[in-house]
Amino acid sequence: MLDEIQLLYLLDLFGVSVFAISGALAAGRKSLDLLGVVIIAVVTAIGGGTTRDLLLDRHPIFWIADPTYLSVIIISALATIWYTRHKAPPEKALLLADALGLAVFTITGAQITQEVISNGVIIVIMAAITGTVGGLIRDVLSNDIPLIMRRDIYATAALAGATVYLLLQFTGLSSVTNIILGMTVVIGLRLAAIQWSLHLPRFRLEE
């Protein structure tokens, strides 16, 4: 049976993998060369966690302390290139990969922040930063409007999932259960937003 530390590490590796896939798919849609694909995959996968570690003054940065992360990212990006050369990716594959990465990084970001800070508001904010900044950088480099700045429920899903994760810790449930339920909230909200075009109200000023 995996303990909490082992589970979080495996989830983190899974998170960088699916975010690397989303980055590679985004780069492929812009017809970038091999180096461009790898660069987009790397910044997508490590952008949120790097920003979190810098803001928390947490050194060394997670992927410098453990280069396994970079190996997983590069392998995932190259595997995506190979797969898409032989078979078209499923419709909405980028959004699905992004939803999975968002869920994983949000909850691991909350758990890592808890080790440094006890303030719940800061933990939720850092969790959202961990989950969303990589995708933000990917979209900016790909010359797309970032998902976080569209009407889609994106950062809201991360904030909700992190909040549920923190509240569940007062229920006496196991840490593993809290992690799984927190991720489920993020994935559920994000996929529901994709499926039914759910979004927050727009703010518009008339001329």
Side-chain angles (χ1 to χ4, degrees):
M1 185 71 178
L2 294 175
D3 61 24
E4 181 182 356
I5 295 177
Q6 292 172 322
L7 176 61
L8 285 168
Y9 181 65
L10 292 177
L11 285 175
D12 229 15
L13 291 178
F14 175 75
V16 297
S17 177
V18 294
F19 258 8
I21 291 170
S22 78
L25 290 172
R29 291 179 177 180
K30 297 297 181 178
S31 301
L32 301 186
D33 62 17
L34 182 61
L35 179 59
V37 172
V38 173
I39 289 174
I40 295 294
V42 170
V43 298
T44 303
I46 69 172
T50 300
T51 303
R52 175 204 62 220
D53 286 354
L54 290 173
L55 290 174
L56 293 176
D57 196 24
R58 188 171 177 264
H59 298 287
I61 305 299
F62 74 101
W63 54 271
I64 295 177
D66 185 0
T68 302
Y69 286 99
L70 291 179
S71 298
V72 170
I73 293 166
I74 293 172
I75 291 171
S76 299
L78 295 178
T80 302
I81 294 172
W82 177 85
Y83 179 86
T84 53
R85 285 186 180 275
H86 294 83
K87 190 174 181 180
E91 187 178 359
K92 296 185 178 178
L94 173 58
L95 293 176
L96 178 58
D98 194 78
L100 293 173
L102 177 65
V104 170
F105 277 176
T106 294
I107 302 307
T108 58
Q111 196 278 334
I112 289 170
T113 305
Q114 278 186 295
E115 299 175 357
V116 182
I117 293 174
S118 59
N119 184 282
V121 174
I122 301 300
I123 292 171
V124 170
I125 292 173
M126 286 297 174
I129 286 174
T130 307
T132 62
V133 168
L136 172 65
I137 296 173
R138 174 200 64 214
D139 293 341
V140 169
L141 293 180
S142 299
N143 198 30
D144 290 325
I145 299 175
L147 279 172
I148 193 174
M149 299 182 70
R150 302 180 203 172
R151 292 188 298 165
D152 302 53
I153 292 178
Y154 189 75
T156 307
L159 293 170
T163 301
V164 168
Y165 167 75
L166 286 181
L167 293 176
L168 285 172
Q169 295 185 13
F170 296 100
T171 65
L173 295 173
S174 68
S175 296
V176 173
T177 301
N178 296 341
I179 291 170
I180 293 173
L181 291 176
M183 287 179 54
T184 300
V185 170
V186 179
I187 294 173
L189 286 174
R190 188 72 191 108
L191 294 184
I194 294 170
Q195 180 64 33
W196 293 297
S197 300
L198 303 178
H199 54 79
L200 296 177
R202 295 180 64 181
F203 174 64
R204 182 192 294 264
L205 289 176
E206 299 296 336
E207 294 292 336

